[in-house]
Amino acid sequence: MIFLRRNAAAFGWAGFALIFLALVLFNYIIFFEHDFLEDMKDRDFVNYWMAGHLVREKNEMLLFSDLQTYAAELSRRTGPLIQQRYWSYPPHFLFFTAPLGYLSYYPALAAFLALGAAFFAISSGIFLRGLSPGKLALLAPFIMCNAV
């Protein structure tokens, strides 16, 4: 029992991670309609990636032009998307998306998700420090809603 008490936080985080991964897998099994990699292109991240490339090419004003011009350029680069995508972010957001313009789509997506997960882990370690593993497990569905 001493081992369990000393490592309760580690077991709590492991349980939290397992619940989180189970919810992600459940989401894709239940709602799986497309090829996974192609489905990843039809997410809001495609706007961030496109903005990074347009900033690198010094053509960022295309983001703020008419919707048909932006949609045509987006389709030219990614192929046809299921949903229409619009740039709905303020101009200062381009500072955060600019580094994505130096990577192709899937490496940029992996870097974006890895950085997001790292920032989440750091901030949750700071702000959720006093919560018990049981309370963390109860928070998992709410965090999942924001993550997917």
Side-chain angles (χ1 to χ4, degrees):
M1 291 304 276
I2 294 172
F3 176 76
L4 292 176
R5 271 188 265 150
R6 285 187 189 160
N7 297 310
F11 284 118
W13 282 109
F16 177 77
L18 287 174
I19 290 171
F20 183 78
L21 288 173
L23 288 172
V24 168
L25 289 174
F26 177 76
N27 181 49
Y28 276 102
I29 290 170
I30 297 300
F31 300 107
F32 196 79
E33 297 176 4
H34 308 287
D35 177 39
F36 180 74
L37 291 177
E38 284 301 312
D39 191 38
M40 291 282 75
K41 277 192 176 177
D42 199 29
R43 299 283 183 226
D44 204 33
F45 176 76
V46 76
N47 278 327
Y48 308 154
W49 177 78
M50 178 72 169
H53 280 270
L54 291 174
V55 167
R56 184 177 54 105
E57 298 163 2
K58 296 180 179 34
N59 194 17
E60 62 277 351
M61 289 311 292
L62 183 64
L63 293 166
F64 305 103
S65 66
D66 64 295
L67 298 176
Q68 289 77 21
T69 306
Y70 177 65
E73 182 64 20
L74 190 57
S75 292
R76 185 183 71 75
R77 292 177 189 239
T78 63
L81 297 175
I82 295 168
Q83 299 177 13
Q84 185 91 22
R85 296 288 171 196
Y86 310 105
W87 180 258
S88 59
Y89 306 98
H92 71 273
F93 199 73
L94 295 174
F95 289 115
F96 302 107
T97 62
L100 299 173
Y102 294 95
L103 299 170
S104 61
Y105 187 80
Y106 293 114
L109 178 62
F112 181 80
L113 292 175
L115 279 172
F119 285 133
F120 175 76
I122 291 167
S123 63
S124 63
I126 293 169
F127 295 108
L128 302 177
R129 191 170 300 196
L131 291 180
S132 68
K135 290 179 183 175
L136 287 174
L138 289 175
L139 286 175
F142 301 105
I143 294 169
M144 180 63 191
C145 289
N146 289 316
V148 175

